[in-house]
Amino acid sequence: MRSWMAALVVLIGCGSDDASEKLMPIPGTTTRIGEPVSKEGSELYMELFTERPRCEIVVSEEDVDACMPYIDRATGEVRLSFQLQSGDSVLALPLAEDHIRVAHMGREVKDNAENQSVELIPHEPQSSRQLFILLIDGSASMREEVRPGVNRMDEVRSALLLPGVKDAFFPDDNKTAVAVFEFTEGTPEPLGGKLTLLENKKEYTQQIRQHLRIRSGYTHLYDAIRYVSEEVIQKGPVYEWLQRNNGQPTVVALTDGFNNIRRLDKCGDNAQRLTGLLGLLQRLRKDSTPTTRPSVYTVGLGRPLRPSYTFPDRLGPRLNERELCGRFVRREIDGDLERQGIDNVSLKWIAYFGGGRTYVRRNKKGLGEAFQAAAAKQYEWFEVRYRYDPYYMRRSFETRIRLTSFASAEGWVQFHPSAWLDAPPGAKRPDGWAKKSSYRATLVLILPILGTLTVLSYLGAAWFNTRRVLSGRTRPPRPPKAG
């Protein structure tokens, strides 16, 4: 009996490629997990959760199971949770899938690719002290009507005054402030001609209603974002508010078209200009403190010019004309491209390097949803779920998570599945992901194996005794002859 039990333990435990590594069993699976590693020299420390005692300390009681790692080899699913820390304190962030990269054995897992998907689930929302800087396009194109009697600026004004948007900018449980700028040519102008930090809904409503108007000129979008990021946040009343309240700056830039400096500007002319802005945002991400490091969100009013655009495999702040414009490189912006759609590619790159997200909407309701999303709460820890080809989960593998915007952080861990015995497949949940099977399901798998081993052990003894009987070896030996 002891022999086959020992053999079963060996079968379950096989699969580790490093006997010296401390391995922990993952509950509900036949997989073990190694010690997590956070990349040294990163701006933030990424803690990957691999042990239940740590999860019980960090997360709420009902979320402990979501905090723990899990692997379902039948569907190729892996779950892993992490938290970001700055020094000795937990850093709450508004992360989304665009802000991370997940790699399985060194290969990036691409969302919506064949047999691959990635999802980031935030947990423990926290209301942080934020200062929202709204950059609203006031150029001449905002006069265009979206419907009879209502122009684009009217639509933006109505969206900014929606109750849900005001609630997002001024939550009841936290201290926030809003500064509103309009931009066209030259330096962005604060509403009313003087920079005012609005700290309640009443002041905000009056400012939007009385002073948000269409101006004139071209759309200096890149310069407006540069000015706010370099000048407004780093000095003056905004800087003082951020330092006094230990707050974080969030820039929300809205436009209805393209960055446009001159009348004869072509789409390709913006490649070098955008590269300069992205380099600035990247430097601010690395060199600034959390109170002076802006999160930049971009909102487009209209329809995207290149709706199917996706990022290249390797992301850097240097863009060429073809990457930015595609087949529209030599097309003029004024009176041509701006009538066909919005430069959604620029907006996407700016939000990526600014640590925010981008939204393209066509009406008041959609704009309101975008503004609310930009003012979303921040979260203390995150759960990563991904699917990969189950074939690549038969042996030990490494999962690596890397933060790609806002700040640098990276962590990885080794999974060691059993080479011989697999856990029962998880049950499918309503959200499409696998759920750990109960111990009853585990017994359904193991008991037939145990029963088979037990029967074999008895059959071996019975066959041995049968052979002795048939061969006559059961007779007692004859006594030796005397003398």
Side-chain angles (χ1 to χ4, degrees):
M1 181 72 72
R2 291 181 180 178
S3 61
W4 60 257
M5 289 183 66
L8 180 62
V9 171
V10 170
L11 288 176
I12 295 176
C14 284
S16 173
D17 293 337
D18 188 354
S20 64
E21 184 180 9
K22 177 187 175 183
L23 302 179
M24 298 292 295
I26 299 178
T29 74
T30 57
T31 300
R32 294 178 294 168
I33 190 169
E35 295 181 350
V37 180
S38 181
K39 185 177 181 180
E40 295 183 1
S42 300
E43 294 175 275
L44 303 177
Y45 176 81
M46 179 179 288
E47 179 182 8
L48 299 175
F49 300 132
T50 59
E51 299 184 27
R52 191 175 187 87
R54 181 58 178 159
C55 284
E56 291 174 344
I57 294 174
V58 174
V59 310
S60 57
E61 183 178 353
E62 61 271 16
D63 283 337
V64 171
D65 286 341
C67 172
M68 288 290 291
Y70 177 68
I71 171 176
D72 182 22
R73 291 199 294 185
T75 58
E77 293 182 16
V78 177
R79 295 208 302 265
L80 192 61
S81 298
F82 70 92
Q83 185 179 72
L84 294 169
Q85 301 171 10
S86 177
D88 296 330
S89 60
V90 175
L91 186 61
L93 293 171
L95 294 186
E97 282 91 350
D98 294 344
H99 301 148
I100 64 168
R101 293 290 182 270
V102 179
H104 185 96
M105 290 302 294
R107 295 186 176 182
E108 182 180 341
V109 183
K110 296 184 177 181
D111 197 26
N112 297 323
E114 185 178 1
N115 298 324
Q116 298 181 32
S117 60
V118 179
E119 185 175 356
L120 184 72
I121 297 97
H123 292 271
E124 302 286 345
Q126 301 292 323
S127 292
S128 61
R129 296 185 174 184
Q130 294 188 72
L131 195 153
F132 300 101
I133 301 175
L134 307 184
L135 273 173
I136 307 300
D137 186 349
S139 62
S141 61
M142 294 292 283
R143 289 193 176 91
E144 185 173 327
E145 290 190 346
V146 294
R147 57 182 183 275
V150 179
N151 60 36
R152 292 175 177 176
M153 184 61 82
D154 295 331
E155 200 80 341
V156 173
R157 186 184 302 106
S158 298
L160 289 171
L161 294 176
L162 288 172
V165 174
K166 291 192 285 187
D167 290 341
F169 286 147
F170 300 99
D172 295 332
D173 60 347
N174 205 4
K175 183 178 180 63
T176 61
V178 177
V180 187
F181 290 81
E182 279 189 295
F183 69 92
T184 57
E185 300 176 6
T187 303
E189 293 289 336
L191 288 193
K194 181 182 179 181
L195 177 56
T196 304
L197 300 185
L198 310 171
E199 295 187 319
N200 58 66
K201 297 177 184 177
K202 182 178 180 180
E203 294 177 347
Y204 169 84
T205 301
Q206 291 176 346
Q207 187 87 308
I208 297 298
R209 283 179 175 171
Q210 295 176 9
H211 299 293
L212 188 60
R213 297 289 183 269
I214 299 172
R215 297 167 67 189
S216 62
Y218 294 109
T219 307
H220 292 196
L221 172 65
Y222 301 166
D223 290 340
I225 296 175
R226 177 185 292 275
Y227 171 75
V228 167
S229 301
E230 272 191 316
E231 300 294 329
V232 175
I233 291 174
Q234 310 298 328
K235 61 184 71 171
V238 170
Y239 176 83
E240 294 172 1
W241 190 98
L242 292 169
Q243 300 303 312
R244 183 171 63 253
N245 295 282
N246 194 28
Q248 296 179 357
T250 299
V251 178
V252 185
L254 178 140
T255 184
D256 68 335
F258 283 70
N259 183 75
N260 195 10
I261 305 297
R262 298 180 299 268
R263 183 178 65 84
L264 298 179
D265 271 352
K266 297 179 176 59
C267 180
D269 296 333
N270 277 334
Q272 186 175 357
R273 301 165 185 167
L274 180 58
T275 294
L277 175 60
L278 299 182
L280 169 68
L281 295 176
Q282 187 178 57
R283 291 194 300 273
L284 289 177
R285 183 188 72 183
K286 293 181 178 180
D287 301 336
S288 301
T289 64
T291 57
T292 57
R293 181 186 296 140
S295 297
V296 182
Y297 290 75
T298 54
V299 182
L301 172 57
R303 59 180 181 272
L305 181 68
R306 300 175 64 191
S308 60
Y309 175 81
T310 57
F311 281 130
D313 292 337
R314 293 192 176 185
L315 293 176
R318 189 175 299 277
L319 273 77
N320 58 45
E321 296 178 352
R322 182 63 59 182
E323 181 65 41
L324 176 62
C325 302
R327 61 187 176 89
F328 303 104
V329 171
R330 298 304 170 198
R331 296 279 292 275
E332 290 187 5
I333 296 172
D334 191 22
D336 185 2
L337 290 183
E338 66 179 5
R339 297 184 181 278
Q340 298 188 40
I342 294 171
D343 182 12
N344 60 296
V345 177
S346 282
L347 299 184
K348 190 168 185 175
W349 279 87
I350 292 170
Y352 177 83
F353 278 90
R357 302 196 72 178
T358 187
Y359 305 90
V360 177
R361 299 292 186 267
R362 302 185 65 175
N363 53 42
K364 176 181 69 175
K365 180 181 178 182
L367 290 176
E369 294 171 351
F371 289 135
Q372 291 181 66
K377 291 188 176 184
Q378 302 177 350
Y379 297 86
E380 286 197 355
W381 64 279
F382 301 86
E383 179 188 352
V384 174
R385 301 175 184 173
Y386 74 87
R387 291 188 183 92
Y388 207 70
D389 191 335
Y391 174 81
Y392 297 100
M393 296 183 185
R394 310 312 301 179
R395 294 174 58 94
S396 298
F397 63 88
E398 178 189 88
T399 295
R400 186 176 293 253
I401 302 174
R402 179 167 59 92
L403 183 65
T404 60
S405 65
F406 190 83
S408 62
E410 189 170 355
W412 59 90
V413 70
Q414 290 276 347
F415 288 86
H416 301 280
S418 169
W420 297 96
L421 186 64
D422 206 352
K428 191 173 183 179
R429 305 191 310 188
D431 60 7
W433 295 91
K435 178 182 179 181
K436 284 191 296 186
S437 298
S438 65
Y439 284 108
R440 180 180 301 176
T442 304
L443 291 176
V444 168
L445 171 71
I446 294 178
L447 285 179
I449 298 175
L450 300 182
T452 301
L453 292 174
T454 303
V455 170
L456 290 176
S457 65
Y458 281 109
L459 287 177
W463 176 242
F464 176 76
N465 290 328
T466 301
R467 289 181 59 189
R468 292 185 63 190
V469 170
L470 294 176
S471 61
R473 294 180 181 177
T474 57
R475 300 174 183 175
R478 294 179 179 180
K481 296 181 179 180

